[in-house]
C-alpha cells in the first residue's frame, strides 16, 4: 500500500521536553497530602496523558498519515506579543528561585516547568509559522502545559502561556486580517477570549460547560452576555452547554450557532483549541 499523499497528511509539532513539566501528586489538583491516603493521585494534567497521545499518533490507525516536526522554545520577545512584561518577569523569577511554587490554584511551577512552557508556546508558534510559510494547511500542535486559560497578566487553570493566543497574534502580525478561535473544552477558553476581548480582528468562540467563575484567577463567567468590549463587542461568542451534553448537543450548537457566525466572519485563519477533558 502506497503512503498517503502530502495533501492528506497531518503535520504534528511536538517536543519531548514538554514531558519535563512535573505537576506533582496529591488530592486531585491540590498538591495536598492529608496524611491518611495510601496512594496520592497524579495531578490531572500529567505527562502520562500526552505520552499516550504521542503513542496513539505514532502507532495507531492514522500513523501513516502523520508527519512529525520538532518545536523549539519561544523567546521572551514572542511571549510579550500576548503577555505583559510584569507577568513574564514573575514567572522568570519564580523559575530562577527553583520553582516549587503554586502560581494559582492547581497550577504548579516546578523545576522544568518553565522550560516546558516555553517549548509549548514555541512549538505552537512553529506550527502556525508552518502554515503561514505555505508548507501545509493543517497542523496539530501537541503541547503541554496547556494554554487557553492563561490571560495576558496571569496564569490560570494549569496554564502559564496562552499557546493559541500567541499563534493568533503571529497570524495577525503576518498579515492575516481576521482569525477565528474555536475552543471546545469542558471549561471556558477565558484566557484567549480575554486577550482579544477588545479586538474586531479575532472572533473567539467557546463551547463549554456552564460552570461560571472559579475565583480570582478565572473571573470570567463564560456566559452568553460576555460579548467583548469596544471594537471587540460582538466578537466573543460563548456557547455554554448544559451538564451532560453529548455529541448531539455539540452538533446542534455547531450547526445552529457556531457555523453561521464563522461564515459571517469569513476568517483568513482558523485556530482550533481542542480540549480532551470531555472525551471518553
Amino acid at each position: 500500500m502506497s503512503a498517503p499523499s502530502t495533501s492528506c497528511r497531518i503535520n504534528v509539532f511536538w517536543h519531548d521536553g514538554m514531558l519535563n513539566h512535573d505537576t506533582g501528586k496529591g488530592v486531585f489538583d491540590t498538591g495536598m497530602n492529608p496524611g491518611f491516603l495510601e496512594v496520592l493521585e497524579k495531578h490531572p494534567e500529567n505527562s502520562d496523558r500526552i505520552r499516550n497521545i504521542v503513542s496513539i499518533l505514532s502507532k495507531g490507525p492514522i500513523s501513516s498519515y502523520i508527519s512529525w516536526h520538532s518545536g523549539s522554545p519561544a523567546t521572551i520577545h514572542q511571549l510579550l506579543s500576548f503577555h505583559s512584561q510584569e507577568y513574564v518577569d514573575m514567572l522568570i523569577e519564580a523559575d530562577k528561585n527553583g520553582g516549587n511554587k503554586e502560581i494559582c490554584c492547581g497550577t504548579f511551577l516546578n523545576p522544568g516547568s518553565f522550560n516546558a512552557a516555553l517549548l509549548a508556546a514555541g512549538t505552537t508558534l512553529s506550527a502556525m509559522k508552518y502554515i503561514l510559510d505555505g508548507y501545509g494547511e493543517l497542523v496539530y500542535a501537541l503541547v503541554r502545559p496547556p494554554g487557553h486559560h492563561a490571560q495576558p497578566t496571569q496564569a490560570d487553570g494549569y496554564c502559564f502561556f496562552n499557546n493559541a493566543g500567541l499563534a493568533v497574534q503571529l497570524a495577525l502580525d503576518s498579515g492575516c486580517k481576521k482569525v477565528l478561535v474555536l475552543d471546545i473544552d469542558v471549561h471556558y477558553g477565558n484566557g484567549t477570549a480575554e486577550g482579544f476581548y477588545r479586538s474586531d480582528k479575532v472572533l473567539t468562540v467557546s463551547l463549554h460547560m456552564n460552570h461560571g467563575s472559579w475565583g480570582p484567577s478565572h473571573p470570567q463567567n463564560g456566559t452568553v452576555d460576555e460579548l467583548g468590549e469596544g471594537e471587540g463587542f460582538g466578537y466573543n461568542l460563548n456557547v455554554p452547554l448544559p451538564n451532560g451534553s453529548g455529541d448531539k448537543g455539540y452538533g446542534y450548537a455547531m450547526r445552529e450557532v457556531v457555523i453561521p457566525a464563522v461564515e459571517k466572519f469569513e476568517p483568513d485563519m482558523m485556530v482550533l483549541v481542542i480540549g480532551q477533558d470531555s472525551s471518553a
Side-chain angles (χ1 to χ4, degrees), residues 10 22 30 33 35 45 51 54 77 81 94 118 124 206 210-211 230 239 250-251 257-258 265 275:
I10 302 171
D22 182 4
T30 64
N33 181 356
E45 202 295 284
R51 287 179 193 272
V54 172
H77 175 73
S81 70
L118 290 178
T124 307
S206 178
N210 191 15
H211 54 68
V239 188
Y250 277 97
V257 181
V258 177
F265 184 60

Side-chain angles (χ1 to χ4, degrees), residues 3 11 23 37 50 64 70 88 91 111 127 132-133 147 159 169 176 181 210-211 236 242 247-248 264:
N11 297 284
T23 46
L37 292 179
I50 209 93
S64 61
S70 182
V88 174
L91 292 178
L132 293 170
D133 289 346
C159 304
Q169 192 59 55
C176 290
V181 180
N210 191 15
H211 54 68
N236 188 68
D247 290 349
K248 290 183 179 180
K264 183 177 180 180

Side-chain angles (χ1 to χ4, degrees), residues 15-79:
H15 193 292
D16 60 10
M18 290 180 279
L19 297 173
N20 294 330
H21 173 43
D22 182 4
T23 46
K25 295 180 179 180
V27 178
F28 191 59
D29 67 355
T30 64
M32 293 173 55
N33 181 356
F36 45 74
L37 292 179
E38 181 71 20
V39 179
L40 293 175
E41 298 175 291
K42 284 189 174 182
H43 190 286
E45 202 295 284
N46 62 73
S47 62
D48 290 350
R49 190 176 59 87
I50 209 93
R51 287 179 193 272
N52 274 335
I53 298 176
V54 172
S55 182
I56 290 166
L57 294 177
S58 300
K59 304 172 186 177
I62 66 167
S63 59
S64 61
Y65 292 89
I66 303 296
S67 292
W68 291 91
H69 306 266
S70 182
S72 57
T75 66
I76 300 304
H77 175 73
Q78 288 173 320
L79 297 177

Side-chain angles (χ1 to χ4, degrees), residues 51-272:
R51 287 179 193 272
N52 274 335
I53 298 176
V54 172
S55 182
I56 290 166
L57 294 177
S58 300
K59 304 172 186 177
I62 66 167
S63 59
S64 61
Y65 292 89
I66 303 296
S67 292
W68 291 91
H69 306 266
S70 182
S72 57
T75 66
I76 300 304
H77 175 73
Q78 288 173 320
L79 297 177
L80 296 179
S81 70
F82 186 90
H83 294 286
S84 70
Q85 183 76 60
E86 294 77 13
Y87 171 60
V88 174
D89 287 346
M90 181 273 290
L91 292 178
I92 292 173
E93 190 64 24
D95 181 59
K96 284 182 178 178
N97 291 332
N100 298 307
K101 180 179 177 63
E102 187 173 15
I103 303 298
C104 65
C105 183
T107 306
F108 297 93
L109 186 81
N110 289 320
S113 297
F114 185 72
N115 288 337
L118 290 178
L119 276 171
T123 298
T124 307
L125 289 169
S126 296
M128 174 57 78
K129 191 172 187 302
Y130 191 83
I131 289 186
L132 293 170
D133 289 346
Y135 292 118
E137 295 185 351
L138 178 63
V139 299
Y140 178 35
L142 177 55
V143 299
R144 72 179 289 267
H148 74 152
H149 295 310
Q151 295 149 67
T153 61
Q154 64 179 354
D156 180 34
Y158 318 155
C159 304
F160 300 103
F161 301 127
N162 196 303
N163 308 313
L166 290 164
V168 169
Q169 192 59 55
L170 177 59
L172 293 173
D173 293 341
S174 301
C176 290
K177 302 298 183 184
K178 294 189 289 185
V179 180
L180 165 76
V181 180
L182 176 57
D183 187 307
I184 300 174
D185 191 279
V186 167
H187 308 97
Y188 177 31
N190 62 309
T192 320
E194 182 68 25
F196 301 105
Y197 207 63
R198 295 155 190 83
S199 173
D200 59 359
K201 297 179 175 63
V202 182
L203 174 63
T204 50
V205 181
S206 178
L207 287 80
H208 49 265
M209 179 176 70
N210 191 15
H211 54 68
S213 170
W214 60 55
S217 70
H218 189 108
Q220 302 86 0
N221 288 301
T223 50
V224 295
D225 58 349
E226 292 179 351
L227 297 169
E229 293 179 352
E231 292 183 354
F233 184 78
Y235 291 88
N236 188 68
L237 176 60
N238 291 335
V239 188
L241 300 173
N243 292 4
S245 294
D247 290 349
K248 290 183 179 180
Y250 277 97
Y252 183 84
M254 290 291 291
R255 288 191 306 273
E256 298 298 320
V257 181
V258 177
I259 291 175
V262 173
E263 289 178 339
K264 183 177 180 180
F265 184 60
E266 297 182 330
D268 302 314
M269 180 73 72
M270 298 175 64
V271 174
L272 310 180

